[in-house]
Amino acid sequence: MKKLNIPMLLLAILVIGMFVGVGAAIAYRNTWLVVLFLLLGFTLMGTGIHLKKARE
């Protein structure tokens, strides 16, 4: 069994949380929060992909 990579797991959970936040912001009809959560979500996702490629 592979060793659990805690920092990447936390980063993935944070990215999922950002996109859940987008859904909540849409429900509250708050455009600024939608934009903020989208930008943060894609930035964190890009950071995770960058870190994964740097490891290989």
Side-chain angles (χ1 to χ4, degrees):
M1 193 164 145
K2 286 189 174 186
K3 189 175 177 184
L4 189 61
N5 191 351
I6 299 295
M8 292 300 276
L9 176 65
L10 292 176
L11 186 61
I13 291 171
L14 195 58
V15 169
I16 291 169
M18 290 298 118
F19 290 120
V20 168
V22 169
I26 289 171
Y28 289 124
R29 297 182 182 179
N30 191 333
T31 309
W32 295 111
L33 282 179
V34 171
V35 172
L36 175 69
F37 285 138
L38 271 175
L39 288 175
L40 286 173
F42 282 120
T43 301
L44 290 171
M45 190 185 308
T47 302
I49 291 170
H50 176 74
L51 290 174
K52 185 175 178 181
K53 283 193 177 207
R55 265 187 198 191
E56 293 176 356

